[in-house]
Amino acid sequence: MARPVWSGVITFGLVTVPVRMYSATEDHTTHFHQLQRGTDDRVRNKRVNERTGKDVGYDDIVKGYEISDGEYVTVEPEELQDIAPGKSQVIDVSGFVAADEVDPVHYVRAYYLSPGGEQYHKPYELLRAALATTGRTGIATFVMHSKEYLVALRAGEDVLALHTLHWADEIRDPREELPELPERERTGSRELRTAQQLVESMSTTFRPQDYHDTYEERVRALIEAKAKGERITPEEGPPEATNVVDLSEALNRSIERARARGGGRGGGTARRGGTGRSGARSGSRGAGRSGSRGAGRSGAGGSSRAGSRERPREGRRKSAPKKTSTGRGGPPLEELSKDELYRRATDRGVKGRSRMTREQLAEALGASKKAA
C-alpha cells in the first residue's frame, strides 16, 4: 500500500474536503552505477573546495547566488526557511476552467487524491462527479515541501487526480526559442487533404497499456546478454527523411498501406466486435507506424478487405522469395515493420526476440505459427 506524500484539504467555495495525496506514477528506468573502467570499483562524488581541493563537510555548505563574475550573495538555510510559504494544508481552488483550456505543455507531475476518511466519501465523490459531468478542471495552488505549486484538479473514472503545472513564466515561446518554423499550410491544398486522409485512416483509440518501452527492454536484454557472455544485435537506424518532391506519393502510399492493414479505427472496431483481442490493440504500436494487427478483418470498407487480400496473391505470383502469411488475410510477415513483428513476437512469447533482426523475427513467427 502506497504512503501519502501530503495530506490536507481541498477548499472550493465554502466546501472543505479532507484528502490525502499519493504519487500516480513510478519510474521503471534501469539505473546504473559508475565504475572505473576495467575494474568493479565504484566511483563516488565528493564535495570538494574548488580552490583548495579539500573535502567540505555538509554542515559547512551554504547556498550562493552569483551576482557578478566571481561575486556571490550567500544565503543560509534558516534564511530560506524564514521566507518560505507557511506550512499549508490547503489546496485552494480559485476557479474551474474547461479541461481543454490547459495546454499539455503546462503539466509536470500527476498525483491521486483519496478521501481523508470514510466520513468524507460523500463530499469527495460529489466534487469528482461535478467535475466529470461539467467537463471542468479546478485550478488551485498549494504548498508542499516549502514550495508553492500551481495545480489542476481533474476527475478520473473513480478518483480525483491532481497535476502540478508549470507557472506561466516557465513556458518558453517556440517562436522565440526555435531557429525556424515553416509557414502555415494553405487551407484546402491537395497535400493537406491527403495528409488529413492519412490521419483519418490511422485514427484509433488510445490504450496506454498497448504501448511498452522497447528501449528499456533492450537495455535489460543487453545486460542479460553481457552477463552470459553473449552479444546483442544492434538496432536498425532511423528511416531517411521524406524528400519534399516525393511527399505526395509517400502520403498516398501510406494511406493505401493503412487501409490494406485495417487502419486504426477500422481494425479496432472489428476486434471490439469480438473477433479478436481488444479492439484498441490496433492502435498500439502500429497506429503511428505500421498499421493494426487485424489486417484483413477491418470493417472500414470493402477496399480495405480487397487490399489486404490481394497482397498475398501478388507475393505468390512472384514466388521468390516465398512469403510467410500472417494467417489472417493480411500482408506477409516479411512486409511488416520490425516494430510490428516485435509486437507479435511478444504476444506469442517468442524467446530471444529482443536480440533478433527483422528477418529473424519474421522467421521465428512463421515457425511458431506452424508449431501451433
Side-chain angles (χ1 to χ4, degrees):
M1 184 70 66
R3 296 181 60 183
V5 297
W6 182 91
S7 62
V9 298
I10 301 172
T11 62
F12 59 106
L14 298 177
V15 179
T16 299
V17 184
V19 293
R20 300 186 185 99
M21 188 167 73
Y22 302 81
S23 179
T25 60
E26 60 184 7
D27 181 24
H28 66 196
T29 302
T30 299
H31 296 282
F32 293 93
H33 294 297
Q34 291 183 326
L35 306 177
Q36 183 175 358
R37 191 185 304 278
T39 74
D40 287 336
D41 300 336
R42 292 278 300 275
V43 175
R44 305 285 185 177
N45 293 323
K46 299 177 68 176
R47 297 180 178 87
V48 178
N49 184 306
E50 185 181 63
R51 180 176 58 82
T52 65
K54 295 181 179 180
D55 292 352
V56 179
Y58 186 80
D59 292 339
D60 292 327
I61 296 176
V62 296
K63 295 181 182 293
Y65 185 86
E66 189 171 23
I67 57 176
S68 62
D69 188 21
E71 184 178 356
Y72 295 85
V73 169
T74 59
V75 180
E76 295 290 341
E78 296 76 14
E79 294 177 303
L80 291 174
Q81 291 175 5
D82 289 342
I83 64 170
K87 184 179 179 181
S88 172
Q89 293 182 302
V90 179
I91 298 174
D92 186 17
V93 178
S94 58
F96 298 93
V97 302
D100 58 1
E101 285 186 36
V102 183
D103 192 317
V105 73
H106 284 271
Y107 287 102
V108 182
R109 188 169 182 181
Y111 297 88
Y112 293 136
L113 299 177
S114 75
E118 187 175 354
Q119 66 271 37
Y120 305 117
H121 284 197
K122 181 69 173 179
Y124 175 95
E125 173 55 21
L126 281 175
L127 175 57
R128 189 209 63 80
L131 292 177
T133 55
T134 60
R136 293 280 169 172
T137 293
I139 302 298
T141 56
F142 87 116
V143 175
M144 179 172 64
H145 301 152
S146 299
K147 182 177 179 180
E148 188 171 20
Y149 292 89
L150 177 66
V151 299
L153 195 63
R154 298 176 58 248
E157 185 174 349
D158 300 306
V159 68
L160 283 171
L162 180 144
H163 299 263
T164 56
L165 305 175
H166 286 293
W167 299 95
D169 60 358
E170 295 178 321
I171 305 298
R172 293 178 174 180
D173 186 339
R175 291 163 294 188
E176 297 178 358
E177 301 294 333
L178 304 185
E180 57 181 343
L181 287 171
E183 295 181 359
R184 292 196 173 216
E185 180 67 22
R186 180 171 54 86
T187 303
S189 68
R190 185 178 64 179
E191 289 84 0
L192 178 56
R193 290 196 300 271
T194 306
Q196 290 170 338
Q197 290 176 354
L198 175 57
V199 170
E200 289 299 325
S201 69
M202 296 176 63
S203 295
T204 185
T205 302
F206 177 54
R207 283 171 48 90
Q209 62 269 34
D210 289 341
Y211 296 79
H212 59 107
D213 190 345
T214 57
Y215 174 72
E216 184 63 23
E217 289 178 355
R218 289 189 63 82
V219 169
R220 293 174 183 172
L222 172 63
I223 294 171
E224 293 175 6
K226 296 200 70 173
K228 297 175 182 177
E230 301 172 353
R231 298 187 64 182
I232 194 166
T233 304
E235 279 289 277
E236 297 176 357
E240 295 182 1
T242 303
N243 191 316
V244 176
V245 178
D246 301 328
L247 182 57
S248 294
E249 180 184 357
L251 288 169
N252 285 314
R253 289 176 60 188
S254 298
I255 293 173
E256 292 174 3
R257 185 176 69 172
R259 287 174 176 171
R261 296 180 179 180
R265 182 179 297 162
T269 303
R271 276 187 289 282
R272 280 195 293 272
T275 58
R277 295 190 181 186
S278 170
R281 187 74 174 178
S282 64
S284 60
R285 308 183 62 77
R289 296 176 183 175
S290 58
S292 72
R293 291 181 64 196
R297 289 189 177 182
S298 168
S303 61
S304 296
R305 297 176 183 269
S308 61
R309 288 176 182 149
E310 286 299 322
R311 297 179 87 172
R313 283 201 286 269
E314 291 174 2
R316 286 196 293 272
R317 284 197 297 270
K318 294 180 181 179
S319 71
K322 185 177 179 180
K323 303 289 185 179
T324 305
S325 172
T326 61
R328 291 192 292 270
L333 291 172
E334 288 79 358
E335 293 187 5
L336 297 179
S337 69
K338 183 175 181 180
D339 189 67
E340 175 70 9
L341 290 169
Y342 185 86
R343 184 166 63 80
R344 296 191 181 192
T346 301
D347 291 341
R348 296 188 189 178
V350 175
K351 295 182 178 180
R353 58 186 178 274
S354 63
R355 297 188 291 274
M356 292 183 181
T357 64
R358 181 171 171 273
E359 292 73 19
Q360 291 170 333
L361 284 168
E363 183 179 348
L365 283 170
S368 67
K369 178 179 179 296
K370 291 178 182 178

